[in-house]
Amino acid sequence: MSNIHHAPQAPVLLSFPTPDDLAAGLAAFILKAQKDSITKKDRFTVALSGGSLPKMLRGLVNNPAVKWDKWQVFYVDERVVPLDNPDSNHLACTTHLFSKVNIPKENIHTIDPTLLDKLDDLSDAYEKELIREFAQKDSARFPIFDLILLGMGPDGHTASLFPGHDLLAEDDRWVAYLDDSPKLPPKRITFTYPVINHAQRVAFVAAGEEKADTLRSILDQPEQGLPSARVKPVYPGQLYWFVDDAASAKVQYQRSQLKL
């Protein structure tokens, strides 16, 4: 019976009145995932994105329930720039979160800044960083993150997986690079779909009326195939959408209540 193939579970849409309500609900959700993971294996593996996401993690600041020493943090994607460059996702996460909390520096896994001129070596090195964390611990063809947090661009991209790009079809590598991103800066590394889709939990975070049309396309018309609509965690993984009411205003998809 264990070999029965399960279809991916339907996404769970959670819509909150305001961005502050969203941030509070997201923090509660992350803490529940943290508790489950630490109880099970004494660590919590998380992958973060850049963009507007780091600001939405403010509910974790000054929160005594967060066990930062148990977190192992990776980046879903990263711009190939120095770590102190304004375009760096690591800088954004440091500015809005890590500089305000007591997380061990060695628990945050950044790209190797000495390899910025060698995209192939850079992505290989980051893949090896994943292998070091996940090999034997979560033995599978791909790493199994406890939680991956994603953003959604106005074009429907997520991570650095853009509409019409060749990387949408990458199904072997864990980490891939691109030098032709339609959004600046052009050089980036990114998790591929198999890594994202093997997580226990994947949560998109989107707020604001400017997200409304794209969110409607992804949830009500997934057959359009926008990159964000291709995130479908392998069973028993679960996909969540944490949005505010402005972002979900045009969506017909059924809303759920946050259950912890």
Side-chain angles (χ1 to χ4, degrees):
M1 295 293 287
S2 61
N3 292 326
I4 293 175
H5 176 73
H6 289 273
Q9 303 192 86
V12 174
L13 174 60
L14 303 160
S15 190
F16 299 84
T18 70
D20 283 340
D21 295 323
L22 191 171
L26 180 63
F29 171 80
I30 292 171
L31 287 172
K32 176 63 164 60
Q34 173 198 260
K35 180 180 178 183
D36 290 349
S37 301
I38 292 175
T39 298
K40 183 178 177 183
K41 57 189 180 184
D42 201 38
R43 76 192 207 289
F44 184 42
T45 54
V46 185
L48 302 179
S49 303
S52 59
L53 176 74
K55 294 180 183 178
M56 298 306 297
L57 300 176
R58 54 186 179 268
L60 300 174
V61 178
N62 297 323
N63 191 325
V66 185
K67 300 185 185 302
W68 292 111
D69 62 314
K70 302 294 187 184
W71 285 48
Q72 294 293 332
V73 179
F74 291 81
Y75 291 103
V76 178
D77 69 321
E78 182 57 283
R79 288 83 178 269
V80 180
V81 295
L83 298 176
D84 59 356
N85 184 288
D87 284 326
S88 167
N89 286 342
H90 173 65
L91 179 63
C93 288
T94 299
T95 300
H96 295 290
L97 181 61
F98 298 139
S99 64
K100 302 177 180 181
V101 302
N102 190 26
I103 184 170
K105 186 177 181 181
E106 62 270 19
N107 291 19
I108 304 170
H109 302 267
T110 68
I111 59 171
D112 183 343
T114 69
L115 298 174
L116 299 181
D117 293 328
K118 302 174 182 176
L119 288 180
D120 202 9
D121 291 346
L122 181 70
S123 57
D124 280 348
Y126 206 65
E127 189 166 293
K128 286 173 182 169
E129 193 83 2
L130 285 172
I131 291 170
R132 272 192 291 274
E133 175 60 32
F134 288 93
Q136 278 93 49
K137 298 174 185 173
D138 297 308
S139 55
R141 172 68 181 83
F142 294 97
I144 299 174
F145 275 89
D146 297 314
L147 175 64
I148 292 180
L149 293 170
L150 298 174
M152 175 197 70
D155 60 353
H157 87 267
T158 192
S160 285
L161 299 167
F162 292 92
H165 198 280
D166 290 346
L167 285 185
L168 299 184
E170 175 60 56
D171 60 2
D172 184 45
R173 298 192 63 169
W174 292 12
V175 179
Y177 69 85
L178 60 162
D179 57 11
D180 58 353
S181 166
K183 181 181 178 184
L184 295 176
K187 295 180 180 179
R188 299 160 176 247
I189 67 165
T190 183
F191 284 3
T192 58
Y193 280 118
V195 173
I196 295 171
N197 283 331
H198 275 81
Q200 294 273 5
R201 305 166 194 83
V202 181
F204 277 96
V205 182
E209 62 183 10
E210 67 274 11
K211 305 281 189 177
D213 288 328
T214 308
L215 190 60
R216 176 177 59 185
S217 296
I218 290 164
L219 288 173
D220 294 339
Q221 300 165 311
E223 67 278 1
Q224 291 184 1
L226 289 176
S228 293
R230 299 181 184 214
V231 175
K232 299 175 182 178
V234 175
Y235 185 90
Q238 180 64 61
L239 174 61
Y240 301 85
W241 281 88
F242 281 79
V243 304
D244 67 355
D245 288 350
S248 66
K250 298 181 180 180
V251 173
Q252 298 296 311
Y253 192 88
Q254 181 178 356
R255 290 151 177 78
S256 299
Q257 295 296 316
L258 180 59
K259 298 175 182 176
L260 300 173

